[in-house]
Each structure stands twice: as C-alpha cells, then as structure tokens.
Amino acid sequence: MSSKRVNDLLVGLCLGISFMVRNEMIPFVNKDDSYYIMTFIIALAFIKWMINGFHINIKNRRNILEIGMQYSVIPKIIIYVYSIVIILAGLSEMRYLSSNIQTFINGLSAIAAFYLLDESIFKVSAYAVVVGYFGNIIIRIFNGTLFSKSFEYHDLAFSVGYIVIFIVMTKNKWTYKKLFIYLAVLVMILLAGKRIGIFSLVISIIWLFFVTRQSEKNQKCLITITGVVMMLVCYLLVYLVLNPDWNLIASNLNIDLAGRNYYYAAMQNYAHFGTDFIGLGRNACQVILKEDFPYFRVGNVHSDILRMYVESGFWMFSVWLIYYLIIMPKYIERKIGTKSSKFVMAVTLYTFIVYMTDNTELYLMNQFFYILTLLLFMNRELKGEYIK
C-alpha cells in the first residue's frame, strides 16, 4: 500500500470516527471527544510542516493555506482578544471568560486536512460523512433506538450543504462511487428535515445559477451587492429580536420559531441594538442560558447572528460582517479569481442564512466543510481544473 493511500486511510478514519462521535450518543464516549480526534489531524499536519523545515514549497498551496488561516482563524483570535479586553477591563462579567479552543479546532482541522491530502481530501471527507451517518444508524440499531427519535443530526445535516454547493460548482466525471456518495448526501439532507438548511441551500444554488449567467464584470458587482444586502438583513434581524415587542411582532407575522422567540427575548435583558453596545464577550450567551435560564434546557441562543452581536457588540459585530461579506470575497477575487470569489459568496450566503436560526458557527462539521470546500475550490481555480 502506497504512503498516499495510508495517509488517505488514516485521515479518513479519523474524520469518520469524529463525525460519528459528534452526532450520536455512543456509550462511554463524550461528544466532545471528537475534538481530540480532529486535534490529532492538526498535529499530523504540524509534524509534516516541521519535517519540511516549516516551509511550503508549492506557492499556490501556500497562498491557499494563508487565505484559510485569514478566513477561519484570524477573525476568531481578534474577537477572542476583544472579549478578554472588555472582561478584564471590568466592562463585562468574569463568568463569561472561556478558553474557546473548540472554535479554533473546527477551521484549523480543515486547513490541516487539506495540507495533508491536497485534492483527495474531498473524496476522503465525503466518504467520512457517509461512514459517520450510517455508522450512527448502525449504533441506533444495536441500541434499539432506530425509530425512537428523528434522523435530524444537526451538524451533519448542515455540513452536507457545502458538499452540494461544491458539486454544483465543479465539473464532475460521473462514476458509480461518486453517484453513491451524491445520493447518500441527498438522503442525509432529506432525512434530517432541517428546513432552514434546505431553504438556504436552494437560495444559494439559485443565486449561483443567476450570477454565473452574467458577465464577469456584473458577477463582481452582484457579489458585492449580495454582501451588502446580507449585512442589512443581519442588522434588521438583530434590531427586531432585541425589540421588546419582538414576541408581538412574531405573533402578528405568524412566524413559527419553535421556541426560539423565548431565547431571543431573554437576551433583551443583557443587550440592546445601538452603537453604544460594546458586547458581553465570547461565550456569554451560552453562560447566560445555562446559568440564568436553566429551565430552557438549551446550549445556546439558536442564532449565530444574534449571538455574535450580543457577545461582540455593535462595532465588532459590524467588523465581522464586513470582513466575511465584503472584504474576503474581494480579497479572494484579487488573489485567486472571480470564480473563487463567487464560490465563497455562495457558501457564505448559505452559512449566514443558517446562522440566523442556528449556532452552526460553533459546529465542528459545519465549519470544517465551510473552510475545506473553499480551500478545494481555490485550489482548482489556480490549477484551472473542473470549475464552472
């Protein structure tokens, strides 16, 4: 067996086990153990980098990995440092201080996996998703819980959306293996039944088809316009849910939020919409809901848009929006090309629509595939391979 096949098998095994652990309650295994497995992948990449003298010889790969770090890791560091500053300055409560290590692992593991396997990581990770999903079903069969609960694996359900967008944006040579993977992905989406995931995926694909039909000049304009519109929608969402009359507004509009309106209303006691709101610090929403509202029995506020505003404050929230919706698509357009800029806006559109009602910014698989598909697509554009 060649060393490449060994590497593919090792990384694929790690991903498959990690995805399975993260999405199902396995006896004697904690869900957070999946992060230790992903850390192992990061460690393998570091060892490879160290063996190579802390140097990446291939310029294109070096550029792609740098963009991956700028996209995934740097913003989190800035927000985390800002959180520490306002907490230590006495502008927020000390109980909100946390290590926040898990959120760094999500993106770093994707960067590490790409560095280790290059283009083959897409096939390996897609197989790992299928293994993780059907592995969970097998566990439920042995536990006698196959039909006792839904197949709604939140992290897995949202993560496959990135695989679909990647497939749509790349030219594929159809094989039985690929057909099996794609059909399995479709089954996972349908069984999960995540309405916001399906809705955001449809919107993103429609947007892609529409933009792709335009001239390159118009594509660039539409990418920027889309980013600005998404920013305004995010501001509007925060303004509405922090409005004391939010429950009345939601009721009048017949908006079914499946209990989220109570979590949003709870945040009104800690935050308000305005330029003078500085934020509470990273991880504050989780602490508030766990300690101050334990009867809700939820891990977080079920809206990353609201959570980022409450934790980061008006101005840092604005920087976060501008960075992902305006700056990075333009930066990738200059460094890589218009096709990659279009792709990053498509997956970011998908991501931010889901962010409105879920906490996928904290999900391991979701962030892994968000970053991984971006790296893979940029790699293909630089190589001039199989992209639309």
mmCIF file of all heavy atoms in Angstrom, residues 190-232:
data_model
loop_
_atom_site.group_PDB
_atom_site.id
_atom_site.type_symbol
_atom_site.label_atom_id
_atom_site.label_comp_id
_atom_site.label_asym_id
_atom_site.label_seq_id
_atom_site.Cartn_x
_atom_site.Cartn_y
_atom_site.Cartn_z
ATOM 1 N N LEU A 190 -32.497 15.075 3.159
ATOM 2 C CA LEU A 190 -33.944 14.879 3.227
ATOM 3 C C LEU A 190 -34.374 14.279 4.566
ATOM 4 O O LEU A 190 -35.377 14.691 5.148
ATOM 5 C CB LEU A 190 -34.402 13.986 2.072
ATOM 6 C CG LEU A 190 -34.220 14.591 0.666
ATOM 7 C CD1 LEU A 190 -34.601 13.566 -0.397
ATOM 8 C CD2 LEU A 190 -35.039 15.859 0.504
ATOM 9 N N LEU A 191 -33.614 13.301 5.072
ATOM 10 C CA LEU A 191 -33.965 12.667 6.343
ATOM 11 C C LEU A 191 -33.790 13.617 7.520
ATOM 12 O O LEU A 191 -34.526 13.553 8.502
ATOM 13 C CB LEU A 191 -33.127 11.402 6.563
ATOM 14 C CG LEU A 191 -33.505 10.177 5.727
ATOM 15 C CD1 LEU A 191 -32.577 9.012 6.042
ATOM 16 C CD2 LEU A 191 -34.956 9.765 5.981
ATOM 17 N N ALA A 192 -32.799 14.496 7.423
ATOM 18 C CA ALA A 192 -32.553 15.440 8.514
ATOM 19 C C ALA A 192 -33.728 16.399 8.664
ATOM 20 O O ALA A 192 -34.091 16.804 9.768
ATOM 21 C CB ALA A 192 -31.270 16.221 8.265
ATOM 22 N N GLY A 193 -34.316 16.775 7.537
ATOM 23 C CA GLY A 193 -35.508 17.616 7.584
ATOM 24 C C GLY A 193 -35.269 19.004 8.158
ATOM 25 O O GLY A 193 -36.187 19.613 8.717
ATOM 26 N N LYS A 194 -34.047 19.540 8.031
ATOM 27 C CA LYS A 194 -33.748 20.884 8.525
ATOM 28 C C LYS A 194 -34.245 21.902 7.505
ATOM 29 O O LYS A 194 -33.621 22.130 6.473
ATOM 30 C CB LYS A 194 -32.251 21.047 8.763
ATOM 31 C CG LYS A 194 -31.672 20.144 9.827
ATOM 32 C CD LYS A 194 -32.289 20.410 11.193
ATOM 33 C CE LYS A 194 -31.944 21.773 11.733
ATOM 34 N NZ LYS A 194 -32.494 21.995 13.099
ATOM 35 N N ARG A 195 -35.361 22.534 7.814
ATOM 36 C CA ARG A 195 -35.992 23.455 6.869
ATOM 37 C C ARG A 195 -35.085 24.616 6.496
ATOM 38 O O ARG A 195 -34.982 24.978 5.331
ATOM 39 C CB ARG A 195 -37.311 23.976 7.445
ATOM 40 C CG ARG A 195 -38.406 22.924 7.565
ATOM 41 C CD ARG A 195 -39.591 23.456 8.341
ATOM 42 N NE ARG A 195 -39.218 23.746 9.730
ATOM 43 C CZ ARG A 195 -40.032 24.324 10.622
ATOM 44 N NH1 ARG A 195 -41.256 24.674 10.260
ATOM 45 N NH2 ARG A 195 -39.624 24.547 11.856
ATOM 46 N N ILE A 196 -34.428 25.208 7.496
ATOM 47 C CA ILE A 196 -33.563 26.353 7.213
ATOM 48 C C ILE A 196 -32.364 25.922 6.373
ATOM 49 O O ILE A 196 -31.879 26.682 5.520
ATOM 50 C CB ILE A 196 -33.087 27.031 8.528
ATOM 51 C CG1 ILE A 196 -32.337 28.342 8.236
ATOM 52 C CG2 ILE A 196 -32.209 26.081 9.347
ATOM 53 C CD1 ILE A 196 -33.184 29.408 7.602
ATOM 54 N N GLY A 197 -31.884 24.697 6.566
ATOM 55 C CA GLY A 197 -30.765 24.189 5.776
ATOM 56 C C GLY A 197 -31.153 24.004 4.315
ATOM 57 O O GLY A 197 -30.414 24.395 3.411
ATOM 58 N N ILE A 198 -32.319 23.400 4.093
ATOM 59 C CA ILE A 198 -32.799 23.186 2.721
ATOM 60 C C ILE A 198 -33.096 24.525 2.054
ATOM 61 O O ILE A 198 -32.736 24.759 0.892
ATOM 62 C CB ILE A 198 -34.047 22.289 2.728
ATOM 63 C CG1 ILE A 198 -33.690 20.884 3.242
ATOM 64 C CG2 ILE A 198 -34.671 22.206 1.336
ATOM 65 C CD1 ILE A 198 -34.885 19.982 3.487
ATOM 66 N N PHE A 199 -33.741 25.439 2.790
ATOM 67 C CA PHE A 199 -34.072 26.757 2.254
ATOM 68 C C PHE A 199 -32.815 27.528 1.847
ATOM 69 O O PHE A 199 -32.733 28.069 0.738
ATOM 70 C CB PHE A 199 -34.858 27.552 3.300
ATOM 71 C CG PHE A 199 -35.090 28.986 2.925
ATOM 72 C CD1 PHE A 199 -36.039 29.325 1.966
ATOM 73 C CD2 PHE A 199 -34.364 30.006 3.530
ATOM 74 C CE1 PHE A 199 -36.255 30.653 1.619
ATOM 75 C CE2 PHE A 199 -34.568 31.338 3.188
ATOM 76 C CZ PHE A 199 -35.513 31.658 2.222
ATOM 77 N N SER A 200 -31.831 27.569 2.729
ATOM 78 C CA SER A 200 -30.599 28.313 2.444
ATOM 79 C C SER A 200 -29.824 27.685 1.293
ATOM 80 O O SER A 200 -29.213 28.393 0.482
ATOM 81 C CB SER A 200 -29.714 28.398 3.688
ATOM 82 O OG SER A 200 -29.414 27.110 4.190
ATOM 83 N N LEU A 201 -29.870 26.355 1.195
ATOM 84 C CA LEU A 201 -29.189 25.664 0.099
ATOM 85 C C LEU A 201 -29.842 25.996 -1.239
ATOM 86 O O LEU A 201 -29.151 26.287 -2.227
ATOM 87 C CB LEU A 201 -29.212 24.153 0.347
ATOM 88 C CG LEU A 201 -28.486 23.273 -0.677
ATOM 89 C CD1 LEU A 201 -27.018 23.653 -0.771
ATOM 90 C CD2 LEU A 201 -28.632 21.802 -0.305
ATOM 91 N N VAL A 202 -31.156 25.997 -1.273
ATOM 92 C CA VAL A 202 -31.878 26.337 -2.504
ATOM 93 C C VAL A 202 -31.593 27.779 -2.918
ATOM 94 O O VAL A 202 -31.325 28.061 -4.091
ATOM 95 C CB VAL A 202 -33.401 26.122 -2.315
ATOM 96 C CG1 VAL A 202 -34.179 26.705 -3.492
ATOM 97 C CG2 VAL A 202 -33.716 24.639 -2.158
ATOM 98 N N ILE A 203 -31.641 28.689 -1.955
ATOM 99 C CA ILE A 203 -31.347 30.102 -2.240
ATOM 100 C C ILE A 203 -29.936 30.258 -2.804
ATOM 101 O O ILE A 203 -29.718 30.976 -3.793
ATOM 102 C CB ILE A 203 -31.495 30.961 -0.968
ATOM 103 C CG1 ILE A 203 -32.954 31.015 -0.521
ATOM 104 C CG2 ILE A 203 -30.955 32.380 -1.199
ATOM 105 C CD1 ILE A 203 -33.885 31.693 -1.499
ATOM 106 N N SER A 204 -28.967 29.586 -2.206
ATOM 107 C CA SER A 204 -27.572 29.692 -2.642
ATOM 108 C C SER A 204 -27.379 29.155 -4.055
ATOM 109 O O SER A 204 -26.658 29.750 -4.865
ATOM 110 C CB SER A 204 -26.656 28.944 -1.665
ATOM 111 O OG SER A 204 -26.743 29.489 -0.373
ATOM 112 N N ILE A 205 -28.014 28.039 -4.369
ATOM 113 C CA ILE A 205 -27.878 27.443 -5.698
ATOM 114 C C ILE A 205 -28.565 28.306 -6.755
ATOM 115 O O ILE A 205 -28.028 28.509 -7.852
ATOM 116 C CB ILE A 205 -28.433 26.004 -5.699
ATOM 117 C CG1 ILE A 205 -27.529 25.100 -4.846
ATOM 118 C CG2 ILE A 205 -28.539 25.461 -7.119
ATOM 119 C CD1 ILE A 205 -28.054 23.689 -4.655
ATOM 120 N N ILE A 206 -29.751 28.835 -6.425
ATOM 121 C CA ILE A 206 -30.429 29.745 -7.357
ATOM 122 C C ILE A 206 -29.563 30.974 -7.614
ATOM 123 O O ILE A 206 -29.423 31.436 -8.750
ATOM 124 C CB ILE A 206 -31.818 30.157 -6.812
ATOM 125 C CG1 ILE A 206 -32.771 28.960 -6.828
ATOM 126 C CG2 ILE A 206 -32.401 31.316 -7.634
ATOM 127 C CD1 ILE A 206 -34.103 29.232 -6.155
ATOM 128 N N TRP A 207 -28.987 31.506 -6.541
ATOM 129 C CA TRP A 207 -28.096 32.667 -6.659
ATOM 130 C C TRP A 207 -26.910 32.340 -7.572
ATOM 131 O O TRP A 207 -26.539 33.135 -8.433
ATOM 132 C CB TRP A 207 -27.603 33.085 -5.275
ATOM 133 C CG TRP A 207 -26.697 34.283 -5.278
ATOM 134 C CD1 TRP A 207 -27.069 35.587 -5.197
ATOM 135 C CD2 TRP A 207 -25.261 34.292 -5.368
ATOM 136 N NE1 TRP A 207 -25.961 36.406 -5.242
ATOM 137 C CE2 TRP A 207 -24.840 35.640 -5.342
ATOM 138 C CE3 TRP A 207 -24.294 33.287 -5.459
ATOM 139 C CZ2 TRP A 207 -23.504 36.003 -5.414
ATOM 140 C CZ3 TRP A 207 -22.959 33.652 -5.533
ATOM 141 C CH2 TRP A 207 -22.572 34.986 -5.510
ATOM 142 N N LEU A 208 -26.340 31.154 -7.397
ATOM 143 C CA LEU A 208 -25.201 30.732 -8.220
ATOM 144 C C LEU A 208 -25.565 30.666 -9.698
ATOM 145 O O LEU A 208 -24.830 31.178 -10.552
ATOM 146 C CB LEU A 208 -24.699 29.359 -7.760
ATOM 147 C CG LEU A 208 -23.628 29.320 -6.688
ATOM 148 C CD1 LEU A 208 -23.363 27.891 -6.258
ATOM 149 C CD2 LEU A 208 -22.346 29.976 -7.175
ATOM 150 N N PHE A 209 -26.692 30.038 -10.003
ATOM 151 C CA PHE A 209 -27.108 29.919 -11.401
ATOM 152 C C PHE A 209 -27.363 31.286 -12.022
ATOM 153 O O PHE A 209 -27.010 31.535 -13.178
ATOM 154 C CB PHE A 209 -28.360 29.040 -11.511
ATOM 155 C CG PHE A 209 -28.073 27.572 -11.420
ATOM 156 C CD1 PHE A 209 -28.741 26.757 -10.506
ATOM 157 C CD2 PHE A 209 -27.119 26.979 -12.241
ATOM 158 C CE1 PHE A 209 -28.476 25.403 -10.419
ATOM 159 C CE2 PHE A 209 -26.847 25.617 -12.168
ATOM 160 C CZ PHE A 209 -27.520 24.825 -11.260
ATOM 161 N N PHE A 210 -27.966 32.173 -11.253
ATOM 162 C CA PHE A 210 -28.260 33.516 -11.765
ATOM 163 C C PHE A 210 -26.975 34.304 -12.017
ATOM 164 O O PHE A 210 -26.795 34.892 -13.094
ATOM 165 C CB PHE A 210 -29.154 34.272 -10.783
ATOM 166 C CG PHE A 210 -29.384 35.708 -11.162
ATOM 167 C CD1 PHE A 210 -30.229 36.037 -12.216
ATOM 168 C CD2 PHE A 210 -28.741 36.727 -10.475
ATOM 169 C CE1 PHE A 210 -30.431 37.366 -12.583
ATOM 170 C CE2 PHE A 210 -28.941 38.059 -10.834
ATOM 171 C CZ PHE A 210 -29.784 38.377 -11.887
ATOM 172 N N VAL A 211 -26.079 34.297 -11.040
ATOM 173 C CA VAL A 211 -24.840 35.080 -11.154
ATOM 174 C C VAL A 211 -23.939 34.518 -12.249
ATOM 175 O O VAL A 211 -23.304 35.279 -13.000
ATOM 176 C CB VAL A 211 -24.099 35.114 -9.799
ATOM 177 C CG1 VAL A 211 -22.732 35.794 -9.946
ATOM 178 C CG2 VAL A 211 -24.935 35.849 -8.760
ATOM 179 N N THR A 212 -23.866 33.199 -12.356
ATOM 180 C CA THR A 212 -23.000 32.560 -13.350
ATOM 181 C C THR A 212 -23.388 32.952 -14.779
ATOM 182 O O THR A 212 -22.537 32.978 -15.672
ATOM 183 C CB THR A 212 -23.042 31.031 -13.186
ATOM 184 O OG1 THR A 212 -22.624 30.697 -11.854
ATOM 185 C CG2 THR A 212 -22.112 30.341 -14.182
ATOM 186 N N ARG A 213 -24.660 33.262 -15.002
ATOM 187 C CA ARG A 213 -25.122 33.640 -16.339
ATOM 188 C C ARG A 213 -24.715 35.066 -16.728
ATOM 189 O O ARG A 213 -24.853 35.455 -17.888
ATOM 190 C CB ARG A 213 -26.653 33.538 -16.413
ATOM 191 C CG ARG A 213 -27.156 32.102 -16.453
ATOM 192 C CD ARG A 213 -28.684 32.080 -16.409
ATOM 193 N NE ARG A 213 -29.184 30.746 -16.739
ATOM 194 C CZ ARG A 213 -29.497 30.332 -17.937
ATOM 195 N NH1 ARG A 213 -29.336 31.145 -18.972
ATOM 196 N NH2 ARG A 213 -29.956 29.118 -18.155
ATOM 197 N N GLN A 214 -24.207 35.843 -15.771
ATOM 198 C CA GLN A 214 -23.848 37.230 -16.032
ATOM 199 C C GLN A 214 -22.402 37.343 -16.523
ATOM 200 O O GLN A 214 -21.605 36.409 -16.417
ATOM 201 C CB GLN A 214 -24.018 38.064 -14.756
ATOM 202 C CG GLN A 214 -25.348 37.871 -14.044
ATOM 203 C CD GLN A 214 -26.546 38.145 -14.925
ATOM 204 O OE1 GLN A 214 -26.588 39.146 -15.631
ATOM 205 N NE2 GLN A 214 -27.540 37.247 -14.892
ATOM 206 N N SER A 215 -22.070 38.516 -17.046
ATOM 207 C CA SER A 215 -20.684 38.785 -17.444
ATOM 208 C C SER A 215 -19.814 38.854 -16.194
ATOM 209 O O SER A 215 -20.325 39.038 -15.081
ATOM 210 C CB SER A 215 -20.600 40.112 -18.200
ATOM 211 O OG SER A 215 -20.929 41.195 -17.334
ATOM 212 N N GLU A 216 -18.509 38.718 -16.367
ATOM 213 C CA GLU A 216 -17.610 38.740 -15.215
ATOM 214 C C GLU A 216 -17.714 40.053 -14.448
ATOM 215 O O GLU A 216 -17.675 40.071 -13.216
ATOM 216 C CB GLU A 216 -16.162 38.513 -15.666
ATOM 217 C CG GLU A 216 -15.200 38.395 -14.498
ATOM 218 C CD GLU A 216 -13.815 37.957 -14.918
ATOM 219 O OE1 GLU A 216 -13.652 37.504 -16.065
ATOM 220 O OE2 GLU A 216 -12.889 38.068 -14.098
ATOM 221 N N LYS A 217 -17.848 41.169 -15.182
ATOM 222 C CA LYS A 217 -17.980 42.476 -14.533
ATOM 223 C C LYS A 217 -19.233 42.527 -13.668
ATOM 224 O O LYS A 217 -19.209 42.992 -12.525
ATOM 225 C CB LYS A 217 -18.025 43.581 -15.594
ATOM 226 C CG LYS A 217 -18.150 44.984 -15.003
ATOM 227 C CD LYS A 217 -18.195 46.034 -16.104
ATOM 228 C CE LYS A 217 -18.356 47.438 -15.518
ATOM 229 N NZ LYS A 217 -18.425 48.467 -16.590
ATOM 230 N N ASN A 218 -20.340 42.034 -14.218
ATOM 231 C CA ASN A 218 -21.595 42.019 -13.464
ATOM 232 C C ASN A 218 -21.545 41.041 -12.295
ATOM 233 O O ASN A 218 -22.168 41.275 -11.250
ATOM 234 C CB ASN A 218 -22.766 41.673 -14.385
ATOM 235 C CG ASN A 218 -23.122 42.810 -15.329
ATOM 236 O OD1 ASN A 218 -22.728 43.965 -15.103
ATOM 237 N ND2 ASN A 218 -23.837 42.498 -16.403
ATOM 238 N N GLN A 219 -20.818 39.945 -12.468
ATOM 239 C CA GLN A 219 -20.657 38.988 -11.371
ATOM 240 C C GLN A 219 -19.994 39.654 -10.173
ATOM 241 O O GLN A 219 -20.439 39.479 -9.030
ATOM 242 C CB GLN A 219 -19.823 37.794 -11.836
ATOM 243 C CG GLN A 219 -20.561 36.830 -12.738
ATOM 244 C CD GLN A 219 -19.757 35.582 -13.068
ATOM 245 O OE1 GLN A 219 -18.898 35.175 -12.291
ATOM 246 N NE2 GLN A 219 -20.029 34.975 -14.212
ATOM 247 N N LYS A 220 -18.954 40.430 -10.441
ATOM 248 C CA LYS A 220 -18.253 41.120 -9.350
ATOM 249 C C LYS A 220 -19.180 42.087 -8.622
ATOM 250 O O LYS A 220 -19.165 42.170 -7.389
ATOM 251 C CB LYS A 220 -17.044 41.862 -9.909
ATOM 252 C CG LYS A 220 -15.946 40.960 -10.452
ATOM 253 C CD LYS A 220 -14.809 41.776 -11.051
ATOM 254 C CE LYS A 220 -13.713 40.870 -11.614
ATOM 255 N NZ LYS A 220 -12.609 41.642 -12.222
ATOM 256 N N CYS A 221 -19.993 42.821 -9.391
ATOM 257 C CA CYS A 221 -20.944 43.762 -8.798
ATOM 258 C C CYS A 221 -21.989 43.030 -7.964
ATOM 259 O O CYS A 221 -22.319 43.442 -6.841
ATOM 260 C CB CYS A 221 -21.635 44.586 -9.884
ATOM 261 S SG CYS A 221 -20.566 45.762 -10.730
ATOM 262 N N LEU A 222 -22.504 41.916 -8.484
ATOM 263 C CA LEU A 222 -23.543 41.160 -7.783
ATOM 264 C C LEU A 222 -23.012 40.535 -6.499
ATOM 265 O O LEU A 222 -23.746 40.431 -5.508
ATOM 266 C CB LEU A 222 -24.110 40.075 -8.701
ATOM 267 C CG LEU A 222 -25.038 40.578 -9.813
ATOM 268 C CD1 LEU A 222 -25.322 39.473 -10.821
ATOM 269 C CD2 LEU A 222 -26.337 41.110 -9.226
ATOM 270 N N ILE A 223 -21.753 40.119 -6.500
ATOM 271 C CA ILE A 223 -21.141 39.563 -5.286
ATOM 272 C C ILE A 223 -21.109 40.623 -4.185
ATOM 273 O O ILE A 223 -21.474 40.359 -3.031
ATOM 274 C CB ILE A 223 -19.719 39.036 -5.581
ATOM 275 C CG1 ILE A 223 -19.800 37.769 -6.450
ATOM 276 C CG2 ILE A 223 -18.966 38.738 -4.286
ATOM 277 C CD1 ILE A 223 -18.472 37.348 -7.032
ATOM 278 N N THR A 224 -20.702 41.836 -4.540
ATOM 279 C CA THR A 224 -20.649 42.933 -3.572
ATOM 280 C C THR A 224 -22.042 43.324 -3.092
ATOM 281 O O THR A 224 -22.265 43.510 -1.885
ATOM 282 C CB THR A 224 -19.955 44.168 -4.185
ATOM 283 O OG1 THR A 224 -18.635 43.811 -4.592
ATOM 284 C CG2 THR A 224 -19.888 45.312 -3.178
ATOM 285 N N ILE A 225 -22.982 43.428 -4.036
ATOM 286 C CA ILE A 225 -24.359 43.787 -3.677
ATOM 287 C C ILE A 225 -24.959 42.755 -2.732
ATOM 288 O O ILE A 225 -25.633 43.098 -1.747
ATOM 289 C CB ILE A 225 -25.228 43.920 -4.949
ATOM 290 C CG1 ILE A 225 -24.810 45.160 -5.748
ATOM 291 C CG2 ILE A 225 -26.711 44.002 -4.596
ATOM 292 C CD1 ILE A 225 -25.436 45.241 -7.131
ATOM 293 N N THR A 226 -24.707 41.483 -3.015
ATOM 294 C CA THR A 226 -25.205 40.402 -2.153
ATOM 295 C C THR A 226 -24.655 40.527 -0.742
ATOM 296 O O THR A 226 -25.388 40.352 0.243
ATOM 297 C CB THR A 226 -24.842 39.026 -2.737
ATOM 298 O OG1 THR A 226 -25.359 38.913 -4.061
ATOM 299 C CG2 THR A 226 -25.405 37.901 -1.875
ATOM 300 N N GLY A 227 -23.375 40.846 -0.643
ATOM 301 C CA GLY A 227 -22.759 41.022 0.665
ATOM 302 C C GLY A 227 -23.386 42.166 1.445
ATOM 303 O O GLY A 227 -23.668 42.036 2.648
ATOM 304 N N VAL A 228 -23.636 43.278 0.769
ATOM 305 C CA VAL A 228 -24.249 44.440 1.426
ATOM 306 C C VAL A 228 -25.674 44.123 1.875
ATOM 307 O O VAL A 228 -26.077 44.460 3.000
ATOM 308 C CB VAL A 228 -24.253 45.663 0.475
ATOM 309 C CG1 VAL A 228 -25.056 46.813 1.078
ATOM 310 C CG2 VAL A 228 -22.828 46.122 0.189
ATOM 311 N N VAL A 229 -26.445 43.467 1.015
ATOM 312 C CA VAL A 229 -27.819 43.099 1.355
ATOM 313 C C VAL A 229 -27.848 42.170 2.560
ATOM 314 O O VAL A 229 -28.665 42.331 3.484
ATOM 315 C CB VAL A 229 -28.528 42.440 0.151
ATOM 316 C CG1 VAL A 229 -29.872 41.836 0.572
ATOM 317 C CG2 VAL A 229 -28.746 43.455 -0.964
ATOM 318 N N MET A 230 -26.941 41.190 2.590
ATOM 319 C CA MET A 230 -26.880 40.266 3.727
ATOM 320 C C MET A 230 -26.542 41.000 5.015
ATOM 321 O O MET A 230 -27.082 40.691 6.088
ATOM 322 C CB MET A 230 -25.852 39.163 3.466
ATOM 323 C CG MET A 230 -26.372 38.012 2.629
ATOM 324 S SD MET A 230 -27.819 37.192 3.360
ATOM 325 C CE MET A 230 -27.152 36.602 4.904
ATOM 326 N N MET A 231 -25.648 41.996 4.932
ATOM 327 C CA MET A 231 -25.322 42.795 6.113
ATOM 328 C C MET A 231 -26.565 43.499 6.648
ATOM 329 O O MET A 231 -26.837 43.473 7.853
ATOM 330 C CB MET A 231 -24.259 43.847 5.765
ATOM 331 C CG MET A 231 -22.845 43.335 5.702
ATOM 332 S SD MET A 231 -21.666 44.682 5.469
ATOM 333 C CE MET A 231 -21.955 45.676 6.940
ATOM 334 N N LEU A 232 -27.325 44.122 5.755
ATOM 335 C CA LEU A 232 -28.534 44.837 6.161
ATOM 336 C C LEU A 232 -29.556 43.895 6.782
ATOM 337 O O LEU A 232 -30.218 44.236 7.769
ATOM 338 C CB LEU A 232 -29.136 45.560 4.955
ATOM 339 C CG LEU A 232 -28.279 46.688 4.352
ATOM 340 C CD1 LEU A 232 -28.935 47.252 3.099
ATOM 341 C CD2 LEU A 232 -28.030 47.791 5.375
#
